[in-house]
Every structure is written in C-alpha cells, then in structure tokens.
Amino acid sequence: LEFRRGALPIFHAVEETFTLPFEIPGQEPQTITGRIDRIDRHPTRGWQLLDFKSSDKGEGPDAAHHMRYAGRWRDLQLPLYRWAAPSILDGADADSIATGYFTVCADLDRIGVDPSKRIDDLHDEAMEVVRSIVEAIRDGRFGIDEEDVPPFEGDPISLLMRTTALVSVDGEADA
C-alpha cells in the first residue's frame, strides 16, 4: 500500500488507548479518554493517526469533521487524537502529526489512507471548541430548543459523542 507517492509508512500501534487531562482555564482539567485505531510513522512525513472507516459511500475526514462554508465543527474525534498524540508518542512535535481515515470498502480502488487536508490546520480552533463544550456541559448549558431536529444545533454532547436523540411523536424522548 503506497503512501501518496513515497515510502511505505511504518506501522507503530493499533487501538492505542489514552486517558489524559484536558486543561480548562480557571477550572479543573477534564479527563479525556479515547482509542486511536492505528498509528503509523512515515520516514519523512512524520506520524499519522488513522481512524478505520468501513463504508462504501462515507465522507472523507475533512467533510466529516468540519463544515468549511459554515465554519462549524461536526466531529472532534481526529482533532482530539492529534491533541493526545504528543503524550502517547513521547513528545512528538505537533507539526509532525497528521490525521486521516483508513477506508475499507467493497471498491478495491478506494481502500487505503484518506489523509486530512484541512482539519489539521484548524487544530487550535478545534481545541477551543472542545473547551467551550466542556464548559457548557459543566454549566448545564445545552442550547437545545424543542423545535430543533436531531442533531441539535449547539448540542455539545452530540458534537463530542456523535449521537442524536430519538423523539417520539408525542414529544417524549425514546430510550
């Protein structure tokens, strides 16, 4: 498997788990726990943190995480992987850490690494969004209006956990 016209990456780890304190100014740190599906080390390009995706029609990492024209984040998984990486990789330089998807699907031509092209450059912005979400959750601010349709605009838990709520016709939440 070629890594975008270059030497093959060197496999480093699979399902690397982390539990780290995320600093919130003026508050106690928030513990963040995650698991990175795969970590590779490219001889000249540095580290690459990959999330496995098994879909025939899935979005690439940039579109799945950040709405370019709206300037909003939809998913913070890869930015949080990148945030955790220096601790996992013995202080690796943030500039040498890239993210992306490893896509596995029925179309053999699409199997392989789909690197992020935009979201790594927006890392600081993503971490500010994480901080604001933690603060909102701690303050009990969820910004959900009964008229909203899932995923709820401004719902910090939906953004972090990529979940949506099911609401029945009579307005009661389904478990």
Side-chain angles (χ1 to χ4, degrees), residues 2 9 31 38-39 56 91 98 101 111 113 117 120 127 135 147 150:
E2 192 173 323
T31 300
R38 180 178 173 134
I39 301 174
D56 285 328
Y101 286 165
I111 295 175
V113 174
K117 296 171 187 71
D120 291 340
M127 294 303 93
E135 290 170 347
E147 303 295 318

Side-chain angles (χ1 to χ4, degrees), residues 94-111:
D95 291 336
S96 72
I97 300 169
T99 61
Y101 286 165
F102 190 98
T103 304
V104 180
C105 59
D107 180 355
L108 297 179
D109 292 332
R110 290 191 50 225
I111 295 175

Side-chain angles (χ1 to χ4, degrees), residues 42-74:
H42 190 276
T44 59
R45 296 185 186 116
W47 297 99
Q48 187 156 42
L49 315 174
L50 300 170
D51 186 44
F52 289 124
K53 293 295 177 194
S54 56
S55 171
D56 285 328
K57 56 183 176 180
E59 295 178 297
D62 294 322
H65 282 73
H66 188 260
M67 297 169 64
R68 171 185 256 167
Y69 299 106
R72 290 196 328 241
W73 287 89
R74 297 173 55 196

Side-chain angles (χ1 to χ4, degrees), residues 1-66:
L1 187 68
E2 192 173 323
F3 187 92
R4 299 275 183 192
R5 286 194 223 144
L8 291 174
I10 299 167
F11 169 76
H12 178 75
V14 65
E15 293 192 355
E16 182 73 32
T17 301
F18 62 89
T19 299
L20 298 166
F22 186 83
E23 297 298 324
I24 308 295
Q27 298 183 22
E28 290 293 316
Q30 176 64 48
T31 300
I32 304 281
T33 299
R35 180 174 36 233
I36 302 171
D37 290 344
R38 180 178 173 134
I39 301 174
D40 288 343
R41 172 89 173 132
H42 190 276
T44 59
R45 296 185 186 116
W47 297 99
Q48 187 156 42
L49 315 174
L50 300 170
D51 186 44
F52 289 124
K53 293 295 177 194
S54 56
S55 171
D56 285 328
K57 56 183 176 180
E59 295 178 297
D62 294 322
H65 282 73
H66 188 260

